[in-house]
Amino acid sequence: MGRLGELEPVPRRSTVELVSDELRSAIMYGSLEPGAQLGEADLAARLGISRGPLREAMQRLVQEGLLVSEPHRGLFVITLDQGDVADIYLARLAIERAACVLIMERNRGEAVVRLTGTLDALVEAARQRDRVAMSDADQRFHQVLVSSSGSPRLERMAQTLLVETRMCLNALQDKYPEPSELVEEHRRLVDAIADGEEERLLRLIEEHMTDSIERLRTT
């Protein structure tokens, strides 16, 4: 980073990165439904790109586990069963627990400031009882939590898991917590970081994930 006010080159994103984001978002929000087959010609036309970068972007999502390649059939969006739901949240627990430990070792103040901003968005979405906005704010909170750890590898690992989490919630909206309950769960996490109570923070993040597993298992 340069001196304050000094101009620096603006990062440029490749077409493949942009297309990967578009496909990831379409899977996350359900525009590309679980089990849907991806047709190259149709997607290339809809995105206004050639097939080259589209193929590369789709292969990235295969590597991330969001698409699966079936021999002689093509590429399909993954489907998730009850075992996958539990596995997703247990994997998230491992990553977010590690992120919490790093946060407590590093700049807790910065993490609290960043998380408070995302909590405000969750409070507003909950006030309006907007389930989609609540899901967006919930996901953003956990992205910021992992990002605040300062570990780019944890952040990369969390990305796919958060998309898979959103796929679960799209199918199981009736099992989403009540707005006030969801806000309180996240507020307690921020308070534990602000108070410097690592043991309480780790207990809360574990309860947050295991409670989610139980809610979704009842469907």
Side-chain angles (χ1 to χ4, degrees):
M1 183 178 294
R3 293 187 301 274
L4 185 63
E6 182 178 336
L7 295 177
E8 295 181 333
V10 176
R12 296 180 63 183
R13 306 186 66 207
S14 69
T15 300
V16 173
E17 289 175 317
L18 294 172
V19 174
S20 298
D21 283 349
E22 286 292 316
L23 294 177
R24 202 179 289 112
S25 179
I27 292 171
M28 182 173 69
Y29 286 102
S31 296
L32 291 174
E33 297 180 350
Q37 184 173 13
L38 273 62
E40 279 189 14
D42 176 59
L43 284 176
R46 289 166 63 185
L47 293 167
I49 58 171
S50 63
R51 294 193 186 188
L54 175 61
R55 289 194 191 105
E56 190 173 339
M58 290 194 294
Q59 284 306 311
R60 285 194 181 189
L61 269 63
V62 169
Q63 293 168 0
E64 292 176 13
L66 295 175
L67 298 179
V68 61
S69 177
E70 296 187 10
H72 311 299
R73 294 192 63 207
L75 294 177
F76 296 80
V77 178
I78 60 166
T79 57
L80 302 172
D81 60 23
Q82 290 287 353
D84 292 318
V85 170
D87 195 45
I88 289 164
Y89 277 92
L90 289 173
R92 280 187 57 191
L93 173 57
I95 291 170
E96 295 192 29
R97 192 181 190 283
C100 287
V101 170
L102 290 174
I103 286 170
M104 300 306 275
E105 291 175 354
R106 296 175 179 175
N107 192 345
R108 288 190 297 112
E110 180 181 344
V112 169
V113 170
R114 295 182 64 195
L115 288 168
T116 298
T118 62
L119 183 60
D120 289 343
L122 181 56
V123 168
E124 178 59 23
R127 186 185 67 79
Q128 297 181 14
R129 301 187 71 85
D130 183 334
R131 293 284 181 174
V132 174
M134 284 169 57
S135 295
D136 284 342
D138 186 353
Q139 177 164 318
R140 180 59 183 159
F141 181 96
H142 289 278
Q143 285 176 323
V144 171
L145 178 70
V146 177
S147 173
S148 296
S149 72
S151 170
R153 289 170 180 81
L154 287 178
E155 202 169 354
R156 283 202 303 270
M157 288 188 288
Q159 181 182 42
T160 297
L161 291 170
L162 287 170
V163 175
E164 291 179 320
T165 299
R166 189 57 173 272
M167 292 173 69
C168 296
L169 295 177
N170 286 341
L172 305 170
Q173 279 289 345
D174 58 325
K175 293 298 178 182
Y176 211 56
E178 281 299 304
S180 59
E181 180 185 349
L182 187 68
V183 169
E184 187 57 28
E185 284 183 17
H186 290 79
R187 192 187 304 281
R188 286 197 294 264
L189 291 170
V190 178
D191 288 345
I193 296 172
D195 295 340
E197 295 190 13
E198 181 173 327
E199 185 175 339
R200 175 159 63 104
L201 175 62
L202 297 180
R203 174 174 54 79
L204 288 170
I205 198 69
E206 182 168 357
E207 290 175 355
H208 184 67
M209 296 301 174
T210 54
D211 287 351
S212 297
I213 292 173
E214 289 308 311
R215 274 195 297 264
L216 297 175
R217 266 183 177 163
T218 58
T219 303

